[in-house]
């Protein structure tokens, strides 16, 4: 297949209200920001999403800083580049903003998949027939009763395949005891978003009594050695999220035996190829993975769903039905979850298009930029099938 000639890019910053505020160990949000990336070429459009969280909810990158990186750095780089590729080599060293990279990289993969008239999963080496179980993630609430109420309500609505609760010092054992009392042996896990330190290793080891699927990111992002100490003491599998930020970081984690599970977030690792390399490396090491989310709007969520059909994605994903999070979804169709399984939209590429009316309603700003470069439609070495 010949290379594709790109002619323009449209960036749209949208801000969609959440159905209710979401709180984790150190912050809370009430709206979801994202930058939608549309790349136009030869009558086709590829969709991507750069999805940093507002403020310092998750990382130093914000919607405003990612907007600047896209408009002042990455798009000019595309304008100068002779030829882009799906391995993201042209992005190497351009920025440390993985969200901005993910937006552009995702749009190029979607474009190539559409040009080939193939679903994204088939380019990635996935299997579109695989089930994609969805797990409920519940934030920190004011009272345990509120927490139990949310779990009951959401599980009844969508039939999730596991429940994840956010924990922090002072909000861990009490909620866990209450969830076990109310919901019996529901598949359950916790996510601490780095809220604990090495001094907490013994109390965390004592959570073995709750029979959790895994404990996600208990210690600091950079403390792989601490996670290795904990993993050696704990029967419950340790999962890395924030620490698993690059291929190299996961390589180090594997070498240190720092985790038995890895949460792959496309927004954090920045390119689908990096995500695929992490997938392959962990498979080789006997470490199972699952697809995490920020959460993203429908474009980013859909990319994670396609990736979730790869063989070493063996735990339920955090991707949930659009209506659970957002008052409206920017894609048609929205993300649907039936009896705890996500519905992968059929058709080439991601299988979704933008809902222009919703995008217009929640648009913060938009920019259309002309580009003139070519995209090599070949897959990176060792990935997918031709
Ligand atoms: Mg997490």
């Amino acid at each position: 297949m010949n290379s594709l000639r790109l002619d323009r890019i449209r960036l749209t910053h949208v801000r969609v209200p959440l159905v209710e505020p979401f709180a984790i160990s150190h912050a809370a949000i009430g709206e979801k920001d994202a930058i939608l990336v549309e790349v136009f070429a030869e009558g086709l459009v590829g969709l991507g999403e750069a999805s940093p969280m507002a403020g310092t909810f998750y990382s130093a990158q914000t919607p405003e800083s990612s907007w600047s990186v896209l408009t002042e750095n990455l798009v000019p780089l595309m304008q100068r580049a002779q030829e882009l590729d799906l391995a993201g080599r042209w992005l190497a060293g351009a920025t440390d903003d993985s969200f901005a990279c993910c937006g552009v990289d995702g749009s190029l993969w979607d474009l190539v998949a559409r040009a080939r008239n193939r679903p994204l999963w088939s380019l990635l080496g996935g299997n579109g027939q695989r089930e994609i179980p969805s797990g409920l993630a519940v934030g920190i609430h004011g009272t345990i009763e509120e927490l139990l109420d949310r779990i009951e309500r959401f599980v009844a609505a969508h039939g999730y395949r596991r429940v994840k609760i956010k924990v922090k010092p002072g909000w861990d054992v009490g909620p866990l005891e209450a969830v076990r009392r109310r919901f019996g042996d529901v598949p359950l896990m916790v996510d601490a978003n780095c809220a604990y330190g090495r001094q907490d290793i013994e109390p965390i080891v004592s959570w073995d009594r709750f029979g959790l699927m895994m404990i996600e990111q208990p210690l600091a992002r950079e403390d792989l050695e601490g996670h290795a100490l904990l993993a050696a003491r704990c029967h419950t599998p340790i999962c890395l999220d924030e620490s698993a930020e690059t291929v190299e970081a996961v390589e180090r984690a594997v070498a240190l035996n720092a985790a038995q599970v890895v949460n792959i977030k496309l927004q954090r690792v920045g390119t689908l190829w990096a995500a695929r390399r992490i997938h392959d490396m962990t498979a080789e090491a006997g470490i199972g993975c699952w697809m995490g989310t920020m959460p993203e709007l429908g474009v980013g969520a859909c990319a994670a769903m396609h990736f979730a059909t790869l063989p070493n994605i063996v735990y339920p994903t955090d991707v949930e039905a659009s209506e659970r999070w957002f008052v409206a979804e920017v894609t048609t169709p929205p993300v649907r979850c039936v009896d705890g399984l996500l519905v992968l939209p059929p058709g080439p590429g991601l299988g979704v298009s933008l809902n222009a009316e919703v995008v217009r309603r929640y648009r913060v700003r938009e920019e259309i930029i002309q580009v003139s470069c070519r995209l090599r439609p070949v897959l990176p070495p060792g990935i997918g099938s031709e």
Side-chain angles (χ1 to χ4, degrees), residues 17 29-30 44 65 83 91 108 114 127 148 156 200 213 222 249 252 266 311 337 347 381:
I29 51 163
L44 295 167
S65 68
E83 196 171 58
L91 278 167
L108 299 180
R114 287 177 202 258
N127 171 3
L148 298 176
D200 301 311
M213 291 173 77
E222 60 283 357
R252 266 192 301 125
L266 300 177
C337 182

mmCIF file with all atom_site columns, all heavy atoms in Angstrom, residues 17 29-30 44 65 83 91 108 114 127 148 156 200 213 222 249 252 266 311 337 347 381:
data_model
loop_
_atom_site.group_PDB
_atom_site.id
_atom_site.type_symbol
_atom_site.label_atom_id
_atom_site.label_alt_id
_atom_site.label_comp_id
_atom_site.label_asym_id
_atom_site.label_entity_id
_atom_site.label_seq_id
_atom_site.pdbx_PDB_ins_code
_atom_site.Cartn_x
_atom_site.Cartn_y
_atom_site.Cartn_z
_atom_site.occupancy
_atom_site.B_iso_or_equiv
_atom_site.pdbx_formal_charge
_atom_site.auth_seq_id
_atom_site.auth_comp_id
_atom_site.auth_asym_id
_atom_site.auth_atom_id
_atom_site.pdbx_PDB_model_num
ATOM 1   N N   . PRO A 1 17  ? -18.727 17.476  31.519 1.00 0.00 ? 17  PRO A N   1
ATOM 2   C CA  . PRO A 1 17  ? -19.003 17.251  32.944 1.00 0.00 ? 17  PRO A CA  1
ATOM 3   C C   . PRO A 1 17  ? -19.130 15.767  33.273 1.00 0.00 ? 17  PRO A C   1
ATOM 4   O O   . PRO A 1 17  ? -19.671 14.994  32.477 1.00 0.00 ? 17  PRO A O   1
ATOM 5   C CB  . PRO A 1 17  ? -20.342 17.967  33.169 1.00 0.00 ? 17  PRO A CB  1
ATOM 6   C CG  . PRO A 1 17  ? -20.490 18.899  32.014 1.00 0.00 ? 17  PRO A CG  1
ATOM 7   C CD  . PRO A 1 17  ? -19.764 18.269  30.862 1.00 0.00 ? 17  PRO A CD  1
ATOM 8   N N   . ILE A 1 29  ? -11.981 15.471  40.809 1.00 0.00 ? 29  ILE A N   1
ATOM 9   C CA  . ILE A 1 29  ? -12.356 16.218  39.610 1.00 0.00 ? 29  ILE A CA  1
ATOM 10  C C   . ILE A 1 29  ? -13.858 16.110  39.379 1.00 0.00 ? 29  ILE A C   1
ATOM 11  O O   . ILE A 1 29  ? -14.489 15.151  39.821 1.00 0.00 ? 29  ILE A O   1
ATOM 12  C CB  . ILE A 1 29  ? -11.635 15.708  38.327 1.00 0.00 ? 29  ILE A CB  1
ATOM 13  C CG1 . ILE A 1 29  ? -11.790 14.183  38.196 1.00 0.00 ? 29  ILE A CG1 1
ATOM 14  C CG2 . ILE A 1 29  ? -10.189 16.123  38.292 1.00 0.00 ? 29  ILE A CG2 1
ATOM 15  C CD1 . ILE A 1 29  ? -11.490 13.664  36.824 1.00 0.00 ? 29  ILE A CD1 1
ATOM 16  N N   . GLY A 1 30  ? -14.396 17.108  38.657 1.00 0.00 ? 30  GLY A N   1
ATOM 17  C CA  . GLY A 1 30  ? -15.820 17.089  38.337 1.00 0.00 ? 30  GLY A CA  1
ATOM 18  C C   . GLY A 1 30  ? -16.070 17.165  36.842 1.00 0.00 ? 30  GLY A C   1
ATOM 19  O O   . GLY A 1 30  ? -17.207 17.045  36.388 1.00 0.00 ? 30  GLY A O   1
ATOM 20  N N   . LEU A 1 44  ? -10.009 10.415  4.144  1.00 0.00 ? 44  LEU A N   1
ATOM 21  C CA  . LEU A 1 44  ? -10.212 9.643   5.378  1.00 0.00 ? 44  LEU A CA  1
ATOM 22  C C   . LEU A 1 44  ? -9.874  10.523  6.581  1.00 0.00 ? 44  LEU A C   1
ATOM 23  O O   . LEU A 1 44  ? -9.168  11.526  6.452  1.00 0.00 ? 44  LEU A O   1
ATOM 24  C CB  . LEU A 1 44  ? -9.288  8.418   5.399  1.00 0.00 ? 44  LEU A CB  1
ATOM 25  C CG  . LEU A 1 44  ? -9.537  7.367   4.323  1.00 0.00 ? 44  LEU A CG  1
ATOM 26  C CD1 . LEU A 1 44  ? -8.357  6.402   4.272  1.00 0.00 ? 44  LEU A CD1 1
ATOM 27  C CD2 . LEU A 1 44  ? -10.836 6.621   4.616  1.00 0.00 ? 44  LEU A CD2 1
ATOM 28  N N   . SER A 1 65  ? -1.159  22.343  28.998 1.00 0.00 ? 65  SER A N   1
ATOM 29  C CA  . SER A 1 65  ? 0.235   22.094  28.607 1.00 0.00 ? 65  SER A CA  1
ATOM 30  C C   . SER A 1 65  ? 0.278   21.128  27.415 1.00 0.00 ? 65  SER A C   1
ATOM 31  O O   . SER A 1 65  ? 1.118   21.288  26.520 1.00 0.00 ? 65  SER A O   1
ATOM 32  C CB  . SER A 1 65  ? 1.054   21.575  29.789 1.00 0.00 ? 65  SER A CB  1
ATOM 33  O OG  . SER A 1 65  ? 0.644   20.283  30.178 1.00 0.00 ? 65  SER A OG  1
ATOM 34  N N   . GLU A 1 83  ? 8.450   11.893  6.427  1.00 0.00 ? 83  GLU A N   1
ATOM 35  C CA  . GLU A 1 83  ? 7.554   10.742  6.459  1.00 0.00 ? 83  GLU A CA  1
ATOM 36  C C   . GLU A 1 83  ? 7.347   10.303  7.906  1.00 0.00 ? 83  GLU A C   1
ATOM 37  O O   . GLU A 1 83  ? 8.300   10.152  8.660  1.00 0.00 ? 83  GLU A O   1
ATOM 38  C CB  . GLU A 1 83  ? 8.166   9.593   5.643  1.00 0.00 ? 83  GLU A CB  1
ATOM 39  C CG  . GLU A 1 83  ? 7.163   8.522   5.308  1.00 0.00 ? 83  GLU A CG  1
ATOM 40  C CD  . GLU A 1 83  ? 7.746   7.517   4.323  1.00 0.00 ? 83  GLU A CD  1
ATOM 41  O OE1 . GLU A 1 83  ? 8.784   6.911   4.626  1.00 0.00 ? 83  GLU A OE1 1
ATOM 42  O OE2 . GLU A 1 83  ? 7.139   7.335   3.261  1.00 0.00 ? 83  GLU A OE2 1
ATOM 43  N N   . LEU A 1 91  ? 8.557   10.647  16.793 1.00 0.00 ? 91  LEU A N   1
ATOM 44  C CA  . LEU A 1 91  ? 8.204   11.307  18.049 1.00 0.00 ? 91  LEU A CA  1
ATOM 45  C C   . LEU A 1 91  ? 9.324   11.222  19.083 1.00 0.00 ? 91  LEU A C   1
ATOM 46  O O   . LEU A 1 91  ? 9.316   11.954  20.074 1.00 0.00 ? 91  LEU A O   1
ATOM 47  C CB  . LEU A 1 91  ? 6.976   10.609  18.659 1.00 0.00 ? 91  LEU A CB  1
ATOM 48  C CG  . LEU A 1 91  ? 5.602   11.003  18.144 1.00 0.00 ? 91  LEU A CG  1
ATOM 49  C CD1 . LEU A 1 91  ? 4.569   9.985   18.618 1.00 0.00 ? 91  LEU A CD1 1
ATOM 50  C CD2 . LEU A 1 91  ? 5.246   12.397  18.628 1.00 0.00 ? 91  LEU A CD2 1
ATOM 51  N N   . LEU A 1 108 ? -2.930  8.381   13.916 1.00 0.00 ? 108 LEU A N   1
ATOM 52  C CA  . LEU A 1 108 ? -2.235  7.815   12.751 1.00 0.00 ? 108 LEU A CA  1
ATOM 53  C C   . LEU A 1 108 ? -2.554  6.321   12.598 1.00 0.00 ? 108 LEU A C   1
ATOM 54  O O   . LEU A 1 108 ? -2.770  5.825   11.485 1.00 0.00 ? 108 LEU A O   1
ATOM 55  C CB  . LEU A 1 108 ? -0.719  8.032   12.875 1.00 0.00 ? 108 LEU A CB  1
ATOM 56  C CG  . LEU A 1 108 ? -0.257  9.501   12.932 1.00 0.00 ? 108 LEU A CG  1
ATOM 57  C CD1 . LEU A 1 108 ? 1.273   9.574   13.042 1.00 0.00 ? 108 LEU A CD1 1
ATOM 58  C CD2 . LEU A 1 108 ? -0.742  10.295  11.726 1.00 0.00 ? 108 LEU A CD2 1
ATOM 59  N N   . ARG A 1 114 ? -8.122  2.437   8.904  1.00 0.00 ? 114 ARG A N   1
ATOM 60  C CA  . ARG A 1 114 ? -9.258  2.777   8.030  1.00 0.00 ? 114 ARG A CA  1
ATOM 61  C C   . ARG A 1 114 ? -8.854  2.675   6.555  1.00 0.00 ? 114 ARG A C   1
ATOM 62  O O   . ARG A 1 114 ? -9.618  2.199   5.722  1.00 0.00 ? 114 ARG A O   1
ATOM 63  C CB  . ARG A 1 114 ? -9.764  4.179   8.354  1.00 0.00 ? 114 ARG A CB  1
ATOM 64  C CG  . ARG A 1 114 ? -10.523 4.230   9.677  1.00 0.00 ? 114 ARG A CG  1
ATOM 65  C CD  . ARG A 1 114 ? -10.968 5.641   10.027 1.00 0.00 ? 114 ARG A CD  1
ATOM 66  N NE  . ARG A 1 114 ? -11.206 5.787   11.455 1.00 0.00 ? 114 ARG A NE  1
ATOM 67  C CZ  . ARG A 1 114 ? -12.416 5.797   12.027 1.00 0.00 ? 114 ARG A CZ  1
ATOM 68  N NH1 . ARG A 1 114 ? -13.493 5.669   11.296 1.00 0.00 ? 114 ARG A NH1 1
ATOM 69  N NH2 . ARG A 1 114 ? -12.545 5.925   13.338 1.00 0.00 ? 114 ARG A NH2 1
ATOM 70  N N   . ASN A 1 127 ? -7.440  -10.092 18.877 1.00 0.00 ? 127 ASN A N   1
ATOM 71  C CA  . ASN A 1 127 ? -8.478  -10.996 18.396 1.00 0.00 ? 127 ASN A CA  1
ATOM 72  C C   . ASN A 1 127 ? -9.827  -10.385 18.750 1.00 0.00 ? 127 ASN A C   1
ATOM 73  O O   . ASN A 1 127 ? -10.225 -10.377 19.919 1.00 0.00 ? 127 ASN A O   1
ATOM 74  C CB  . ASN A 1 127 ? -8.306  -12.367 19.053 1.00 0.00 ? 127 ASN A CB  1
ATOM 75  C CG  . ASN A 1 127 ? -9.477  -13.290 18.765 1.00 0.00 ? 127 ASN A CG  1
ATOM 76  O OD1 . ASN A 1 127 ? -10.403 -12.936 18.019 1.00 0.00 ? 127 ASN A OD1 1
ATOM 77  N ND2 . ASN A 1 127 ? -9.451  -14.470 19.344 1.00 0.00 ? 127 ASN A ND2 1
ATOM 78  N N   . LEU A 1 148 ? -20.605 1.882   49.436 1.00 0.00 ? 148 LEU A N   1
ATOM 79  C CA  . LEU A 1 148 ? -21.361 0.641   49.203 1.00 0.00 ? 148 LEU A CA  1
ATOM 80  C C   . LEU A 1 148 ? -22.544 0.893   48.268 1.00 0.00 ? 148 LEU A C   1
ATOM 81  O O   . LEU A 1 148 ? -22.841 0.088   47.384 1.00 0.00 ? 148 LEU A O   1
ATOM 82  C CB  . LEU A 1 148 ? -21.855 0.063   50.536 1.00 0.00 ? 148 LEU A CB  1
ATOM 83  C CG  . LEU A 1 148 ? -20.755 -0.347  51.523 1.00 0.00 ? 148 LEU A CG  1
ATOM 84  C CD1 . LEU A 1 148 ? -21.375 -0.818  52.836 1.00 0.00 ? 148 LEU A CD1 1
ATOM 85  C CD2 . LEU A 1 148 ? -19.851 -1.428  50.946 1.00 0.00 ? 148 LEU A CD2 1
ATOM 86  N N   . ALA A 1 156 ? -25.248 -3.168  39.574 1.00 0.00 ? 156 ALA A N   1
ATOM 87  C CA  . ALA A 1 156 ? -26.599 -3.547  39.122 1.00 0.00 ? 156 ALA A CA  1
ATOM 88  C C   . ALA A 1 156 ? -26.852 -3.030  37.710 1.00 0.00 ? 156 ALA A C   1
ATOM 89  O O   . ALA A 1 156 ? -27.458 -3.706  36.886 1.00 0.00 ? 156 ALA A O   1
ATOM 90  C CB  . ALA A 1 156 ? -27.644 -2.987  40.088 1.00 0.00 ? 156 ALA A CB  1
ATOM 91  N N   . ASP A 1 200 ? 4.654   1.388   55.430 1.00 0.00 ? 200 ASP A N   1
ATOM 92  C CA  . ASP A 1 200 ? 3.319   0.775   55.440 1.00 0.00 ? 200 ASP A CA  1
ATOM 93  C C   . ASP A 1 200 ? 3.323   -0.663  54.922 1.00 0.00 ? 200 ASP A C   1
ATOM 94  O O   . ASP A 1 200 ? 2.255   -1.258  54.747 1.00 0.00 ? 200 ASP A O   1
ATOM 95  C CB  . ASP A 1 200 ? 2.362   1.609   54.574 1.00 0.00 ? 200 ASP A CB  1
ATOM 96  C CG  . ASP A 1 200 ? 2.255   3.044   55.059 1.00 0.00 ? 200 ASP A CG  1
ATOM 97  O OD1 . ASP A 1 200 ? 2.040   3.228   56.271 1.00 0.00 ? 200 ASP A OD1 1
ATOM 98  O OD2 . ASP A 1 200 ? 2.397   3.972   54.232 1.00 0.00 ? 200 ASP A OD2 1
ATOM 99  N N   . MET A 1 213 ? -7.773  -9.443  44.286 1.00 0.00 ? 213 MET A N   1
ATOM 100 C CA  . MET A 1 213 ? -7.173  -9.837  43.007 1.00 0.00 ? 213 MET A CA  1
ATOM 101 C C   . MET A 1 213 ? -5.768  -9.272  42.877 1.00 0.00 ? 213 MET A C   1
ATOM 102 O O   . MET A 1 213 ? -4.876  -9.902  42.333 1.00 0.00 ? 213 MET A O   1
ATOM 103 C CB  . MET A 1 213 ? -7.985  -9.273  41.834 1.00 0.00 ? 213 MET A CB  1
ATOM 104 C CG  . MET A 1 213 ? -9.345  -9.863  41.628 1.00 0.00 ? 213 MET A CG  1
ATOM 105 S SD  . MET A 1 213 ? -10.183 -8.916  40.332 1.00 0.00 ? 213 MET A SD  1
ATOM 106 C CE  . MET A 1 213 ? -9.380  -9.560  38.854 1.00 0.00 ? 213 MET A CE  1
ATOM 107 N N   . GLU A 1 222 ? 8.477   6.108   41.685 1.00 0.00 ? 222 GLU A N   1
ATOM 108 C CA  . GLU A 1 222 ? 9.874   5.756   41.405 1.00 0.00 ? 222 GLU A CA  1
ATOM 109 C C   . GLU A 1 222 ? 10.393  4.619   42.292 1.00 0.00 ? 222 GLU A C   1
ATOM 110 O O   . GLU A 1 222 ? 11.503  4.138   42.098 1.00 0.00 ? 222 GLU A O   1
ATOM 111 C CB  . GLU A 1 222 ? 10.777  6.996   41.549 1.00 0.00 ? 222 GLU A CB  1
ATOM 112 C CG  . GLU A 1 222 ? 10.776  7.657   42.906 1.00 0.00 ? 222 GLU A CG  1
ATOM 113 C CD  . GLU A 1 222 ? 9.525   8.517   43.171 1.00 0.00 ? 222 GLU A CD  1
ATOM 114 O OE1 . GLU A 1 222 ? 8.649   8.670   42.273 1.00 0.00 ? 222 GLU A OE1 1
ATOM 115 O OE2 . GLU A 1 222 ? 9.408   9.029   44.286 1.00 0.00 ? 222 GLU A OE2 1
ATOM 116 N N   . ALA A 1 249 ? 11.075  1.421   32.094 1.00 0.00 ? 249 ALA A N   1
ATOM 117 C CA  . ALA A 1 249 ? 10.661  1.285   33.493 1.00 0.00 ? 249 ALA A CA  1
ATOM 118 C C   . ALA A 1 249 ? 10.077  -0.104  33.739 1.00 0.00 ? 249 ALA A C   1
ATOM 119 O O   . ALA A 1 249 ? 10.333  -0.724  34.781 1.00 0.00 ? 249 ALA A O   1
ATOM 120 C CB  . ALA A 1 249 ? 9.636   2.364   33.854 1.00 0.00 ? 249 ALA A CB  1
ATOM 121 N N   . ARG A 1 252 ? 12.832  -2.632  33.948 1.00 0.00 ? 252 ARG A N   1
ATOM 122 C CA  . ARG A 1 252 ? 13.476  -2.615  35.269 1.00 0.00 ? 252 ARG A CA  1
ATOM 123 C C   . ARG A 1 252 ? 12.587  -3.307  36.303 1.00 0.00 ? 252 ARG A C   1
ATOM 124 O O   . ARG A 1 252 ? 13.071  -4.045  37.158 1.00 0.00 ? 252 ARG A O   1
ATOM 125 C CB  . ARG A 1 252 ? 13.783  -1.175  35.706 1.00 0.00 ? 252 ARG A CB  1
ATOM 126 C CG  . ARG A 1 252 ? 15.198  -0.759  35.346 1.00 0.00 ? 252 ARG A CG  1
ATOM 127 C CD  . ARG A 1 252 ? 15.623  0.530   36.010 1.00 0.00 ? 252 ARG A CD  1
ATOM 128 N NE  . ARG A 1 252 ? 14.725  1.613   35.620 1.00 0.00 ? 252 ARG A NE  1
ATOM 129 C CZ  . ARG A 1 252 ? 14.064  2.383   36.458 1.00 0.00 ? 252 ARG A CZ  1
ATOM 130 N NH1 . ARG A 1 252 ? 14.208  2.230   37.751 1.00 0.00 ? 252 ARG A NH1 1
ATOM 131 N NH2 . ARG A 1 252 ? 13.260  3.330   36.015 1.00 0.00 ? 252 ARG A NH2 1
ATOM 132 N N   . LEU A 1 266 ? -2.446  3.591   27.669 1.00 0.00 ? 266 LEU A N   1
ATOM 133 C CA  . LEU A 1 266 ? -1.935  4.147   26.410 1.00 0.00 ? 266 LEU A CA  1
ATOM 134 C C   . LEU A 1 266 ? -1.533  5.595   26.602 1.00 0.00 ? 266 LEU A C   1
ATOM 135 O O   . LEU A 1 266 ? -0.544  6.056   26.034 1.00 0.00 ? 266 LEU A O   1
ATOM 136 C CB  . LEU A 1 266 ? -2.998  4.015   25.317 1.00 0.00 ? 266 LEU A CB  1
ATOM 137 C CG  . LEU A 1 266 ? -3.440  2.575   25.006 1.00 0.00 ? 266 LEU A CG  1
ATOM 138 C CD1 . LEU A 1 266 ? -4.537  2.579   23.953 1.00 0.00 ? 266 LEU A CD1 1
ATOM 139 C CD2 . LEU A 1 266 ? -2.256  1.727   24.551 1.00 0.00 ? 266 LEU A CD2 1
ATOM 140 N N   . PRO A 1 311 ? -3.448  -11.070 23.555 1.00 0.00 ? 311 PRO A N   1
ATOM 141 C CA  . PRO A 1 311 ? -3.508  -12.283 24.400 1.00 0.00 ? 311 PRO A CA  1
ATOM 142 C C   . PRO A 1 311 ? -3.053  -12.096 25.851 1.00 0.00 ? 311 PRO A C   1
ATOM 143 O O   . PRO A 1 311 ? -3.547  -12.795 26.729 1.00 0.00 ? 311 PRO A O   1
ATOM 144 C CB  . PRO A 1 311 ? -2.602  -13.279 23.660 1.00 0.00 ? 311 PRO A CB  1
ATOM 145 C CG  . PRO A 1 311 ? -1.846  -12.490 22.655 1.00 0.00 ? 311 PRO A CG  1
ATOM 146 C CD  . PRO A 1 311 ? -2.649  -11.277 22.339 1.00 0.00 ? 311 PRO A CD  1
ATOM 147 N N   . CYS A 1 337 ? -21.531 -1.231  27.663 1.00 0.00 ? 337 CYS A N   1
ATOM 148 C CA  . CYS A 1 337 ? -21.145 -2.373  28.487 1.00 0.00 ? 337 CYS A CA  1
ATOM 149 C C   . CYS A 1 337 ? -22.412 -3.183  28.745 1.00 0.00 ? 337 CYS A C   1
ATOM 150 O O   . CYS A 1 337 ? -23.396 -2.661  29.271 1.00 0.00 ? 337 CYS A O   1
ATOM 151 C CB  . CYS A 1 337 ? -20.539 -1.871  29.796 1.00 0.00 ? 337 CYS A CB  1
ATOM 152 S SG  . CYS A 1 337 ? -19.977 -3.183  30.879 1.00 0.00 ? 337 CYS A SG  1
ATOM 153 N N   . GLY A 1 347 ? -16.348 -2.445  12.299 1.00 0.00 ? 347 GLY A N   1
ATOM 154 C CA  . GLY A 1 347 ? -15.948 -1.514  11.238 1.00 0.00 ? 347 GLY A CA  1
ATOM 155 C C   . GLY A 1 347 ? -14.468 -1.241  11.271 1.00 0.00 ? 347 GLY A C   1
ATOM 156 O O   . GLY A 1 347 ? -13.769 -1.641  12.202 1.00 0.00 ? 347 GLY A O   1
ATOM 157 N N   . PRO A 1 381 ? 8.187   -3.427  13.065 1.00 0.00 ? 381 PRO A N   1
ATOM 158 C CA  . PRO A 1 381 ? 8.662   -4.821  13.016 1.00 0.00 ? 381 PRO A CA  1
ATOM 159 C C   . PRO A 1 381 ? 8.147   -5.617  14.207 1.00 0.00 ? 381 PRO A C   1
ATOM 160 O O   . PRO A 1 381 ? 8.132   -5.146  15.328 1.00 0.00 ? 381 PRO A O   1
ATOM 161 C CB  . PRO A 1 381 ? 10.179  -4.664  13.061 1.00 0.00 ? 381 PRO A CB  1
ATOM 162 C CG  . PRO A 1 381 ? 10.444  -3.271  13.532 1.00 0.00 ? 381 PRO A CG  1
ATOM 163 C CD  . PRO A 1 381 ? 9.276   -2.460  13.133 1.00 0.00 ? 381 PRO A CD  1
#
